[in-house]
Amino acid sequence: MRGRDDEWTDLMRSANAGDSVAYHRLLKSVTPVLRAGARQGLSRAGQPPDQAEDIVQDILLAVHLKRHTWDANAPFAPWLFAIARNKLIDALRRRGRRVFVNIDDFAETIPSEPPAETLPTVEISNHLSDLPPRQRDVLRSIAVDSASIKTTASKLSMTEGAVRVALHRGLASLAAKLRKD
Amino acid sequence: MDTDRLIQALAADNDQRARPVSTQLAMALLVTLPVVAAMLLVTLGIRPDFMSAMRNPFFDAKFLVTLALAIPAIVISVHLSKPEASLGGWIWLLLLSPFILIVALIVEMTMPQRAPMMVRIIGRNSSLCSAAITLLSLPILGGAMIALRHGAPSRPAIAGALAGLMSAGLGATFYAAHCADDSPLFVATWYTLAALVMAALGAAIGSKVLRY
């Protein structure tokens, strides 16, 4: 685990320095660990694991929007797992479960591969259509159609700066909507 | 939306990064503190004998007590904005202000008193004191909440209570310049009441708005 944690910390430092490829790699690398932790937490609370992917996405959004609270001199993993735990507890509470979630649920899980049957993630998709049109179109273009910021800008006849702003606001509104559920 | 696509969107948003919570809080205080100073000067004003009162150690002790609450509360608020942070040993810093107050109370006890205890507790302005501190604290609490919303506290109510104590400590620092009651007994009663009210209000607001 030591090597993995150090790698994450290095990737996050590079991401903070503006390297979005490192950031992409970091998010890809933490996701299977988060998925395994979310499934384990759900099953411990006696819940079906079918909402694990929604929890994973909620965690990833929070990691993204709160990453300025990570201290670059501290290891990344404890920070990540604290957010993951908070989001898992939140998700369980929304389902009426009051359970103690051990932080080790995340720290000690073995990464799980995405399950063979693709689990539908409903929460973000539901909220996507409620976003203001600009934010929705930009998010759809970048996330769903995998377009770059540049392509999105010319497709929607916006400036690249406006696309960046709409993307960021869209992600923040998604997180706010998830919190309100 | 599958998770890989979400990750793609997040990575594309990598250059949008918020400022650290400490910076946000500093900016909030830079905006709200002058507002509170103006509120005090326009409504109550500072006490007329301010200059001579500064030679009274009990007058000076009020500022020490309020700042000894505000500064640790600021430091702990910033600390608690990190998701993995817990209150832990930091809570001891909050005892600094009560400790100074208790020392001042003991010193006053040992001195010959002109006024009986109840008179010193009630003072000249007890009805105004707690209410005025609360009102002066409100803009600071508002600013602090907006700043702390950028954080990710694991216990939003506790983070909110700390913001309440911070605002009460700073609000009371301003009010102390007006307040003509210097007895530590008065401070221990009415300033403490205001601080508890603000802590409770901060906890209630924090549990709603500081969740992430």
Side-chain angles (χ1 to χ4, degrees):
Chain A
M1 295 291 161
R2 186 78 240 145
R4 179 197 76 184
D5 290 3
D6 287 346
E7 192 196 334
W8 286 353
T9 306
D10 288 344
L11 285 172
M12 192 63 198
R13 284 200 189 118
S14 309
N16 276 348
D19 181 349
S20 45
V21 176
Y23 188 45
H24 192 270
R25 268 181 59 204
L26 171 71
L27 295 176
K28 290 286 271 187
S29 164
V30 301
T31 296
V33 179
L34 298 178
R35 188 176 287 129
R39 290 176 141 254
Q40 187 168 321
L42 283 171
S43 79
R44 272 213 199 134
Q47 296 278 301
D50 58 351
Q51 278 149 335
E53 206 61 20
D54 281 321
I55 297 177
V56 169
Q57 297 191 353
D58 196 15
I59 299 171
L60 288 171
L61 261 176
V63 163
H64 179 68
L65 294 170
K66 297 297 180 183
R67 65 203 195 285
H68 59 278
T69 66
W70 174 62
D71 171 3
N73 298 313
F76 180 72
W79 178 89
L80 171 72
F81 294 142
I83 289 190
R85 177 174 174 270
N86 185 307
K87 285 294 175 187
L88 177 57
I89 292 174
D90 242 28
L92 292 172
R93 273 191 194 150
R94 268 186 260 148
R95 293 173 180 91
R97 304 280 156 157
R98 281 197 165 263
V99 284
F100 178 75
V101 178
N102 196 322
I103 196 154
D104 298 335
D105 270 359
F106 286 99
E108 285 168 6
T109 46
I110 297 136
S112 72
E113 286 305 309
E117 80 281 26
T118 38
L119 296 174
T121 53
V122 286
E123 290 184 348
I124 286 194
S125 311
N126 284 349
H127 290 307
L128 193 56
S129 42
D130 297 338
L131 290 181
R134 265 285 148 94
Q135 296 175 12
R136 187 193 58 211
D137 294 346
V138 166
L139 257 175
R140 283 221 172 109
S141 167
I142 288 170
V144 184
D145 311 334
S146 308
S148 67
I149 287 188
K150 208 170 179 173
T151 323
T152 305
S154 63
K155 195 168 64 184
L156 300 174
S157 357
M158 295 165 73
T159 63
E160 285 185 34
V163 169
R164 284 175 202 282
V165 170
L167 172 63
H168 187 71
R169 292 210 179 128
L171 292 170
S173 350
L174 277 182
K177 285 178 190 294
L178 288 177
R179 201 161 48 226
K180 280 208 194 88
D181 275 345
Chain B
M1 190 193 294
D2 72 36
T3 303
D4 281 350
R5 297 195 157 156
L6 175 68
I7 290 175
Q8 212 158 43
L10 299 180
D13 191 43
N14 186 42
D15 18 294
Q16 301 274 341
R17 199 172 294 104
R19 290 189 198 85
V21 176
S22 52
T23 313
Q24 306 263 11
L25 186 57
M27 292 193 304
L29 294 180
L30 273 174
V31 172
T32 51
L33 292 182
V35 171
V36 174
M39 276 168 66
L40 177 78
L41 290 174
V42 168
T43 55
L44 300 169
I46 59 173
R47 59 192 266 182
D49 62 341
F50 187 87
M51 295 313 279
S52 58
M54 283 204 294
R55 286 192 292 273
N56 173 2
F58 287 124
F59 176 71
D60 302 334
K62 288 195 291 189
F63 295 95
L64 211 56
V65 167
T66 55
L67 287 174
L69 175 65
I71 294 166
I74 291 171
V75 173
I76 300 171
S77 291
V78 171
H79 166 72
L80 288 182
S81 69
K82 289 182 274 182
E84 77 277 33
S86 61
L87 201 47
W90 293 73
I91 198 161
W92 297 106
L93 284 176
L94 289 178
L95 295 182
L96 184 63
S97 175
F99 176 76
I100 296 171
L101 193 50
I102 288 167
V103 170
L105 280 169
I106 293 171
V107 171
E108 195 198 33
M109 297 286 184
T110 61
M111 288 167 62
Q113 292 299 333
R114 275 166 295 173
M117 198 184 242
M118 278 318 286
V119 172
R120 279 179 281 144
I121 288 181
I122 293 174
R124 274 177 264 185
N125 264 325
S126 58
S127 54
L128 173 71
C129 171
S130 299
I133 293 178
T134 306
L135 286 175
L136 291 172
S137 307
L138 283 176
I140 305 172
L141 182 63
M145 284 293 177
I146 291 170
L148 293 176
R149 266 177 68 88
H150 295 276
S154 56
R155 314 271 297 271
I158 292 183
L162 262 301
L165 289 176
M166 169 204 312
S167 69
L170 293 170
T173 305
F174 285 104
Y175 179 74
H178 164 80
C179 174
D181 296 292
D182 295 329
S183 166
L185 276 171
F186 182 90
V187 176
T189 310
W190 305 107
Y191 282 50
T192 305
L193 177 66
L196 293 177
V197 167
M198 291 310 292
L201 182 63
I205 298 174
S207 68
K208 299 263 187 304
V209 308
L210 297 183
R211 285 179 57 224
Y212 70 95

